[in-house]
Amino acid sequence: MSNAHLHQLIEQAQTLISLIATHPHYEQLLKTGYQPDLNIADAQTALTYLQWELERNREPSD
């Protein structure tokens, strides 16, 4: 699997997480007291860090 493909998967995952965060059923779970140890923002942050690492490794080293 190439980095380009992984980059595309990360973008797709970010899109899906955004859709989950705004889905009415998810919002209802939050309203009824759902409090996961890790939340949507944690998942988005993890994907952002992964994306940064891929970009950093793509750059030529000096």
Side-chain angles (χ1 to χ4, degrees):
M1 182 182 301
S2 70
N3 280 351
H5 186 70
L6 182 55
H7 188 76
Q8 290 171 340
L9 290 173
I10 293 168
E11 288 178 5
Q12 290 172 356
Q14 287 280 26
T15 299
L16 288 172
I17 289 172
S18 295
L19 290 172
I20 290 168
T22 58
H23 193 281
H25 292 152
Y26 181 75
E27 290 175 349
Q28 184 61 36
L29 282 172
L30 293 176
K31 287 178 185 173
T32 60
Y34 176 64
Q35 295 181 349
D37 290 336
L38 299 173
N39 59 36
I40 295 289
D42 295 322
Q44 290 171 321
T45 300
L47 288 171
T48 298
Y49 289 165
L50 180 55
Q51 200 166 29
W52 288 346
E53 187 65 20
L54 287 174
E55 290 170 6
R56 187 176 72 86
N57 287 325
R58 245 184 14 199
E59 295 175 1
S61 51
D62 295 327

